[in-house]
């Protein structure tokens, strides 16, 4: 099964949207296999966002992600990376489709509530960066037969 890293960023935590975001991912049929509520240190932020070094929004991005706790999670499912990004909506909330999390709860790209891995390979890299293997819980879900045709 494909795995993806999801962060509920400081704005999502501060605005009390952890439950709403998790509710939508669960309702979609995705499966949570890891979660931790944590402050992000500068080193982790720099490693996670290294592809954005030099972009005008990079310094603000580091301040934002380190400013307050995040809810870091690993979710699993068929095509989990693409499916989660669809549920989140476009990076810029003003372009996100109605019914997506960013459309329904956000307005501005620098406060876009969530991060999710953008490719399956990146999902694996990000999961390894944020979680130790022993922090992930593999479990059987007896509704899987009703979510996928097995
Ligand atoms: P995220 O999915 O965490 O990946 C990189 C982040 O940079 C993105 O979400 C936004 O929070 C931020 N970001 C991306 N593009 C822009 C932009 N054009 N202006 C400001 N912030 C951006």
């Amino acid at each position: 099964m494909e795995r993806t890293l999801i962060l509920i960023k400081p704005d999502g935590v501060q605005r009390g949207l952890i439950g709403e975001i998790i509710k939508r991912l669960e309702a979609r049929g995705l499966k949570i296999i890891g979660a931790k509520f944590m402050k992000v240190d500068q080193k982790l932020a720099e490693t996670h966002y290294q592809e954005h070094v030099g972009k005008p929004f990079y310094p603000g991005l580091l301040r934002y992600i380190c400013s307050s706790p995040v809810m870091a999670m690993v979710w699993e499912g068929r095509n989990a990376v693409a499916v989660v990004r669809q549920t989140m909506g476009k990076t810029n909330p003003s372009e996100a489709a109605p019914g997506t999390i960013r459309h329904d709860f956000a307005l501005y790209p620098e406060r876009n509530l969530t991060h999710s891995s953008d490719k399956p390979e990146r999902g694996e890299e990000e999961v390894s960066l944020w979680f130790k293997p022993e922090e992930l819980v593999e479990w059987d879900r007896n509704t899987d037969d009703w979510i996928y045709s097995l």
Side-chain angles (χ1 to χ4, degrees):
M1 279 288 186
E2 199 167 280
R3 300 185 306 176
T4 187
L5 177 79
I6 300 179
L7 305 176
I8 303 177
K9 294 180 186 174
D11 48 340
V13 173
Q14 291 281 350
R15 292 178 55 200
L17 292 171
I18 294 175
E20 176 68 35
I21 292 168
I22 290 177
K23 184 181 88 172
R24 289 179 178 219
L25 295 165
E26 281 188 309
R28 186 100 199 251
L30 292 153
K31 186 167 95 170
I32 191 166
I33 59 165
K36 53 187 173 184
F37 187 63
M38 59 186 281
K39 282 283 297 263
V40 181
D41 65 27
Q42 186 76 11
K43 183 166 175 279
L44 176 58
E46 286 175 4
T47 307
H48 177 74
Y49 280 132
Q50 60 194 359
E51 71 181 282
H52 297 295
V53 172
K55 295 185 184 165
F57 58 84
Y58 177 74
L61 183 58
L62 291 196
R63 279 197 304 278
Y64 166 39
I65 202 71
C66 297
S67 62
S68 187
V70 304
M71 186 73 181
M73 301 178 286
V74 181
W75 288 75
E76 190 178 81
R78 292 197 187 154
N79 302 317
V81 166
V83 164
V84 167
R85 287 180 73 81
Q86 184 187 43
T87 293
M88 297 306 174
K90 286 198 174 170
T91 301
N92 183 343
S94 68
E95 296 169 1
T100 63
I101 288 168
R102 287 175 175 149
H103 172 278
D104 293 353
F105 300 105
L107 286 173
Y108 190 58
E110 290 174 51
R111 296 291 180 270
N112 65 352
L113 297 174
T114 60
H115 166 82
S116 59
S117 310
D118 63 357
K119 308 184 193 68
E121 318 80 85
R122 192 67 194 133
E124 289 304 319
E125 283 169 20
E126 290 183 348
V127 168
S128 313
L129 176 64
W130 287 77
F131 284 81
K132 299 189 186 104
E134 62 270 24
E135 292 174 323
L136 301 179
V137 180
E138 291 297 339
W139 56 289
D140 292 326
R141 189 176 58 176
N142 57 18
T143 50
D144 275 358
D145 286 1
W146 305 102
I147 293 169
Y148 302 108
S149 64
L150 297 178

